[in-house]
Structure formats: C-alpha cells, structure tokens
Amino acid sequence: MRELTIGFAVAALGLSAGCAPARPAAGPPPAAPSAVAAPVADADTFTRPLLREVPVPAAFQAAVDRGTRTMSGEPGPNYWQQRVSYSIEAELNPESRVLRGQERIVYQNNSPEAISDIVLNLYQNVYSAGVPRNRYAPITGGITLDRVEVQGQTLRAHGEDSEEGDAGFAVEGTLAVLNLPQAIAPGESAVLNVEWHFTVPPDPTFRTAWEDALGGRVLQVAQWYPQIATFDDRHGWDATPYLGDGEFYLEYGDFEVALTLPAGWLVGATGTLLNADEVLTPEARRRLATARQADEVTPIVTEADLAAENATQMSPDGQLTWHFEASDVRDFAFATSNRYVWDAVRAQIPDGEGGTRGALVSAFYRPGAPNWTEAAEYGQHAVQFFSELRVPYMYSSLDIMEGPIGGMEYPALVFIGRPRSAEGLYGVIAHEVGHEWFPMMVGSDEATSAWMDEGVITYHEGMARADFWDLPELEAFEGDLGSYLRVAGTEVEVPLMRHTDLVSPYGARGVAAYTKPGILLRSLREVVGDEVFDRAMDTYASEWLLKHPAPWDFFNTFERVSGRDLDWFFYPWWYETGTLDQGIASVEGVAGADVRVTVQDYGDIPVPTRLVAVTAAGDTLTAEIPIDVWLDGARTAVATLPAGNTIVEVYLDPQRIFPDVDPTNNVWQGNAGS
C-alpha cells in the first residue's frame, strides 16, 4: 500500500452523529479490557485537573540554590559526590555457606561539610529474626560484625553506659551508625577496618542465595560486605532501611577483592581477574585469549573439563584465592560453583573514534540449564545493542551467572535464572544487562525512584528484543502494555513517583516500576520524535555518568533538549493514576468533500492523536490532532482527510504507542467520501 501523509485541520466542537465505530475482522492486536467506566455523554464539561506543573521538592530546590543541581537537567557547577575504596579479603565455605571477610575502606569526604557519623548498610540483616521486611526471607541470623575500627580506634557497640557523643556504633536492623572519634573535614578521608561473617541464605529468596540443582551447588553472593551508605548533595546520609523490595543507592569507587574458595570452584565476579595464571588451567587461559579476539562463542571450561576435575588449577592446601579489581563501580558481587561450565565471546564496543574495542562477555552455567548454551551470544548482542543505542559500555568484561536468582544486576555481572524458553532467557539477560547502563553507570536511587532504572530498562529491553528476534515493535511491548492496562485507573495502581517500599502488593510494584514507565518512554519518544528522544537520553546518560541523578534531572533534561514544556506529560503520568481514553466518535464525508474524523477525549490525560485511514484503493492517509488542541480544553476535535478518497477504515494509534485503556472505540469501518 502507498502511504500518503496529509495535513490536518482540527476544531473544538460538540459531538456529531455519524457511523458508529466498529472493530474490523483484522486490524491491531486485541487489547486488555478497559479499566474505566463508560464515558459520560456530556464530555465537553470535563476539566483537566491532572494538568499541572511538576512539583520541585524543597531538597532539590535547595541543591539548585547551592549550585549542585540545575533546573535545566545537567549537574550544577558546584556538584560533588563522595568516593569510596574497598580492599576486601573473604573466604567462602561452600559446604557450610559461611562467608568470613575483612575489609579496609577509605572514605573520601568531598562534601562541603564535616562528617561526624558514618552510616553502614548491613543488608544481610534482612535475614535476621525480628527485622522489618516486605518480602519473605529465610532466617540465617544475619551479619555479625566481629571488629569495627575507624581512624585507628576500635569502636565498641553502644550500650546502656554510653553517653551522647561517645565514639562507638549501633546496629538497627539493616543499618549501623558509627559515631566517629573525630569528624572528617571537607576534603579529608577516613580509614575503616571491619571484620564480619554471615551465612549465605538458601533459595528461595531475593538477590542472593545458594541452591543445589542440576547436579551441583551454586552460590550467588551479593549484599555481602558492610558498605558505606550514600551521602549526597540533596539529603546527606541515605539512612533508608533495606526491607527487601527496594533496591540500592550506592557511592562509586574502586574495589580490590580476594576471594578464597576450594579448588575446582569457578568464580565469576565484578571486575577484572588479576591472577588467571594462578587459578585457571593453561588450556582455559589459551581458550580465554582466543575468546577475547573472537566474535563467535568459545568454550573456556567444558563438561569434559568437569569430568576430568580440570576446571581450575589445583593447590597443595586445596584452596585457591581469586583476585579481582574494579574501578568506577558502585558495588561488587560474585557467583561460584564446582559444576559451572564457562563460555565466552567478544562484544565490540564503539570507542568514540570511529573504531571499536573489545569487552569479554562470559556465561557461567551448569550443564542442563535450558538454552544456556546461547547465553553468551545473548549477552554479546545486548552489550553491543545498548552500546550503539546509548553511551558505550565502559567496563572490560561482563559475567552472566546462572543460578537461583531469577534476574539481578551488579556492576559487570548479572545473576540469571532458568527461564524455560529461549525468548524468555534472552529477555531476562537483555533486561539485566541493560541495567549496566541504568543504574550501574548512571547511578540513580533505585528504591526512591525505581522507574529510573527498571522502567527505563523495560523500554530498552523491548527495543533489544525487537532487534534480536526481528519483531514488530508493538509485539515487543505488547506484554508490558497489557500488564499496565489490567490495572490502569483501578485502586491497585499506584503512582510511579512513590517509594518502592511503600507500594502496595498484588503486582503494583511491577506496573509502577517496570511496565508503565517502560511503555510511557515509548510514548514520550512519539511526543518529541525519535531523534530528539535519543539525543535527550544520550545527554542524560552522558551528563550523569557515574553520578547521582534525581527524577527532576531526567525531566529537565528532556525539556531542555526538546525545547518544550513537558509538564503536561510528566505530571499526570508519573504523579497520578489517571488514564488515557480517546475514541473515534464519527467519520463523515460526502462526494467531493473532505472526510471529517471526529475524535472524542474521554480520559484524564491527553496525548497527541495519531490517525491512519485506509482508502478503498488500498492507500493509507495519516493525520494528527496536536496536543495543543487538547491542552486548550477541547474534548472533541476534527481531523480532515482530503476529498477524492473513499475511506473504508480509520484507526486511532494503530501501533498502540499511547496506552489507551479502551481501544474498542479506536477503529472505524464504513464508507465515507468519494
């Protein structure tokens, strides 16, 4: 069919009579049932209470006044952030699942104020009896702090005889507050030494666990070391308890980590393996060198190696220590098994100078995990796709670790479960790999604003799946759209801007954090145009790389790059739970005259209206009712199609780019014009 793009004419008017809309036998995919009541007849009396400016919180405005933030989206001239360096030595006993560690932390105070207390995250305490949580958690006893030393002084846990101002520490749930012997002045640093131990929790649980399956044990280990909380320019210390649902807000820094495990246990981890010659066999190292230069997957450790007990080097005492190093990362995690096989392949990353550089993508999995022989290729595609779509991947490696955790991201490492289908496995890998950009490289607060990582990556995952499987874009987003429409406008739905630990159950978190913002970014792309959308996303990612953006930085960046006021889009979709519902009220035309398509807006949130008409000759005509018409108060508007055409079908937004809750009135069939 030929496509003819035509001009449009619109006018606000009363609802006119005409042919009733009808669903054709073939057309856009069926949609989820409407979640709103039938429209009121006198629609023109409706108002637009959800159209208002995006509110700016006092803490953000204060940061703008201090020059650390701006109202245009980029970091301010006085922006600062803290820096942390970790040196960690740990030993994990796979049989007992007990991990013992010691760490040296250097905390650099780049803020303009002296710091007299330090907040530590003790995430493993979510597995302690009596600790508040919003997910089921097996009880392991949590983490034990065996020694805490700060500024050369060993701190005691505060007791009844402690007085205000005494140096010491207090543990409350998943947080510890360290009262320092002396304040850390601006520009100065402090050294902490901490020793601890805990038991890795069993599956089923969230983000970290061990399991016995597929003939062997896997331990996916995360949230495993005492970690300094974030101190930022808006709120100071982020002393938010870890309850389970909410994820993480972390400082960037450098890690040197030594992990001791029994020989035969392969380890994948954040960062670069420094002592491959001490832990990997000569054959594995040779294969690894090949994989770094190859665009096809290379087996590094095979089932034959497992059978020959040749997965790693051996040692006299039966133990091996794996040394890793990582820079400019916000966390460190690892996984290990004595039943892992290992595949690897090179991903080619744009180097910014017209060429490429290599990043090693590895897949560690137990034989028999469904479709995992393709996992390295899936990871390779995702890394390359996102690097071309957004800023390039900045790390030199990425490890994809099979195990009990269904999907979780850490710097240069992801935990992935065992979806039954190849499409499912690719989708989870693409989603978690996408998180290497948001929030690993662009470090938002995941618990306060989960949409900034989960929603942004739901959109990018959909784009990656469409590319890998050669899917129509609508098909790639159809599941996310249906997820939102099932709860849209009901009491189950919650606003995107609600803290994720305060979101109600019954799947509301999945909609508010993942699917609704994911499909709204597709809508936003339509509003501002593909080129502007990509430029705004790239600007946001580049300006906030290795920094801590807030939602208003995201909103303001899109307004700056697009040159448009987008509060009409961001406020109702992000802060409220109103719905979109536009419909074709009538299609009228007589011989020799323009065909008039009347559209009525029944909903709470307006969007620009896209119409596609099909002529009797099989041509397509397109028309648009701009957003300004609806923002000016119209509830009905007319788009005109040129005379000389017999219109047999009209579709409102056939690609379902905007999440209309009642698509049954978005299609007209009949015979109008000539």
Side-chain angles (χ1 to χ4, degrees):
M1 295 188 296
R2 288 184 298 126
E3 180 176 352
L4 306 176
T5 302
I6 64 173
F8 56 83
V10 295
L13 73 168
L15 180 63
S16 56
C19 297
R23 176 174 292 280
S34 171
V36 295
V40 178
D42 188 15
D44 286 325
T45 64
F46 288 1
T47 59
R48 300 282 192 185
L50 301 189
L51 297 186
R52 52 165 291 187
E53 293 183 353
V54 170
V56 178
F60 187 89
Q61 184 61 58
V64 171
D65 295 341
R66 291 191 296 266
T68 59
R69 308 269 164 166
T70 67
M71 291 304 293
S72 54
E74 68 264 54
N78 300 327
Y79 181 81
W80 55 265
Q81 107 188 14
Q82 310 291 58
R83 186 79 180 180
V84 191
S85 295
Y86 293 89
S87 296
I88 304 175
E89 297 178 3
E91 181 173 345
L92 174 60
N93 183 326
E95 293 302 315
S96 67
R97 291 91 59 198
V98 172
L99 183 148
R100 297 184 180 276
Q102 58 183 13
E103 63 185 345
R104 181 179 186 271
I105 309 171
V106 179
Y107 183 67
Q108 177 70 35
N109 180 16
N110 295 324
S111 80
E113 60 185 275
I115 294 177
S116 57
D117 303 299
I118 285 179
V119 178
L120 287 181
N121 288 310
L122 304 177
Y123 298 119
Q124 286 295 319
N125 276 351
V126 79
Y127 300 106
S128 297
V131 170
R133 63 181 67 87
N134 50 23
R135 286 190 178 189
Y136 164 77
I139 301 304
T140 65
I143 193 169
T144 298
L145 298 180
D146 299 308
R147 185 172 73 93
V148 179
E149 177 190 284
V150 181
Q151 297 166 320
Q153 179 176 327
T154 298
L155 301 186
R156 294 188 307 157
H158 284 311
E160 295 181 358
D161 58 343
S162 299
E163 297 183 5
E164 185 175 354
D166 284 353
F169 70 92
V171 175
E172 181 68 33
T174 58
L175 298 172
V177 177
L178 280 55
N179 306 122
L180 304 181
Q182 60 187 45
I184 312 170
E188 299 296 323
S189 61
V191 176
L192 292 74
N193 288 286
V194 185
E195 297 178 7
W196 76 96
H197 69 273
F198 71 93
T199 301
V200 177
D203 188 58
T205 185
F206 42 92
R207 305 197 178 97
T208 180
W210 68 270
E211 71 165 1
D212 290 330
L214 298 175
R217 175 164 296 180
V218 161
L219 299 98
Q220 292 176 319
V221 184
Q223 283 72 60
W224 61 283
Y225 57 94
Q227 177 193 80
I228 293 187
T230 296
F231 185 96
D232 71 15
D233 65 309
R234 291 184 297 132
H235 299 293
W237 285 113
D238 174 36
T240 305
Y242 177 48
L243 302 179
D245 270 356
E247 293 185 7
F248 311 107
Y249 185 33
L250 310 174
E251 299 285 15
Y252 285 98
D254 305 315
F255 285 78
E256 294 180 358
V257 179
L259 301 171
T260 299
L261 290 111
W265 285 74
L266 277 176
V267 179
T270 296
T272 301
L273 177 63
L274 299 179
N275 65 330
D277 58 330
E278 297 177 3
V279 296
L280 300 180
T281 65
E283 180 61 20
R285 298 198 302 274
R286 185 192 66 76
R287 295 168 181 167
L288 202 55
T290 298
R292 294 184 190 280
Q293 305 299 321
D295 296 325
E296 301 297 327
V297 174
T298 300
I300 310 301
V301 175
T302 66
E303 287 190 72
D305 295 321
L306 297 183
E309 298 185 350
N310 199 34
T312 70
Q313 296 269 31
M314 294 294 106
S315 70
D317 65 356
Q319 299 283 93
L320 291 176
T321 299
W322 300 65
H323 291 272
F324 294 92
E325 181 178 73
S327 298
D328 293 326
V329 297
R330 42 175 262 165
D331 202 356
F332 188 102
F334 68 96
T336 183
S337 177
N338 62 351
R339 290 293 300 163
Y340 271 156
V341 295
W342 177 7
D343 298 337
V345 66
R346 174 180 64 179
Q348 298 198 48
I349 313 299
D351 63 6
E353 299 178 356
T356 61
R357 61 174 177 83
L360 185 72
V361 176
S362 296
F364 294 78
Y365 58 96
R366 289 164 292 186
N371 302 299
W372 266 82
T373 54
E374 310 301 318
E377 179 189 350
Y378 294 168
Q380 175 194 42
H381 174 268
V383 170
Q384 293 179 163
F385 180 82
F386 296 134
S387 292
E388 293 168 0
L389 186 65
R390 295 288 165 254
V391 297
Y393 183 64
M394 64 181 294
Y395 305 120
S396 62
S397 64
L398 174 74
D399 290 351
I400 304 170
M401 314 300 298
E402 176 265 326
I405 302 304
M408 187 61 199
E409 71 279 7
Y410 297 94
L413 174 138
V414 294
F415 294 163
I416 307 292
R418 297 182 293 278
R420 294 182 179 180
S421 69
E423 293 83 357
L425 180 60
Y426 176 84
V428 178
I429 288 175
H431 185 94
E432 305 306 336
V433 169
H435 279 308
E436 296 301 320
W437 279 258
F438 308 95
M440 296 302 129
M441 291 159 52
V442 181
S444 59
D445 181 345
E446 300 176 77
T448 298
S449 306
W451 66 267
M452 294 183 73
D453 64 295
E454 299 295 1
V456 168
I457 294 309
T458 296
Y459 167 79
H460 286 82
E461 175 202 337
M463 299 298 288
R465 286 193 293 111
D467 183 79
F468 187 83
W469 298 106
D470 194 24
L471 299 175
E473 190 176 297
L474 174 58
E475 184 176 341
F477 285 95
E478 194 171 11
D480 297 326
L481 180 61
S483 169
Y484 162 64
L485 292 178
R486 278 190 288 272
V487 301
T490 72
E491 67 277 8
V492 173
E493 188 187 359
V494 298
L496 273 58
M497 291 294 286
R498 185 173 296 179
H499 191 292
T500 197
D501 281 321
L502 302 179
V503 172
S504 64
Y506 314 115
R509 179 174 177 267
V511 172
Y514 294 77
T515 57
K516 182 180 178 181
I519 61 173
L520 287 178
L521 288 183
R522 185 169 176 250
S523 302
L524 179 59
R525 190 187 73 195
E526 181 75 3
V527 167
V528 301
D530 292 359
E531 187 274 333
V532 171
F533 178 87
D534 285 334
R535 184 153 45 89
M537 283 297 307
D538 291 344
T539 299
Y540 167 71
S542 298
E543 291 179 346
W544 289 97
L545 190 69
L546 304 181
K547 296 183 177 70
H548 296 317
W552 305 274
D553 301 308
F554 182 91
F555 300 150
N556 292 338
T557 297
F558 265 85
E559 291 198 332
R560 167 167 52 103
V561 173
S562 68
R564 298 176 58 178
D565 180 351
L566 295 170
D567 283 14
W568 64 267
F569 185 84
F570 288 128
Y571 180 79
W573 285 119
W574 264 254
Y575 286 83
E576 304 286 352
T577 57
T579 56
L580 161 68
D581 184 11
Q582 294 181 346
I584 300 171
S586 65
V587 178
E588 300 174 302
V590 296
D594 290 342
V595 176
R596 295 161 55 87
V597 181
T598 301
V599 176
Q600 182 149 357
D601 191 331
Y602 306 106
D604 307 301
I605 307 174
V607 298
T609 306
R610 313 292 198 237
L611 293 167
V612 176
V614 181
T615 71
D619 297 327
T620 60
L621 309 174
T622 62
E624 175 183 347
I625 301 172
I627 186 61
D628 289 345
V629 172
W630 304 118
L631 296 181
D632 285 343
R635 278 293 179 170
T636 55
V638 169
T640 60
L641 303 173
N645 292 285
T646 300
I647 306 300
V648 295
E649 293 178 341
V650 180
Y651 296 93
L652 193 162
D653 187 19
Q655 293 303 311
R656 306 292 303 280
I657 291 170
F658 297 106
D660 191 312
V661 296
D662 184 10
T664 61
N665 56 13
N666 290 2
V667 180
W668 175 91
Q669 276 189 320
N671 196 312
S674 65

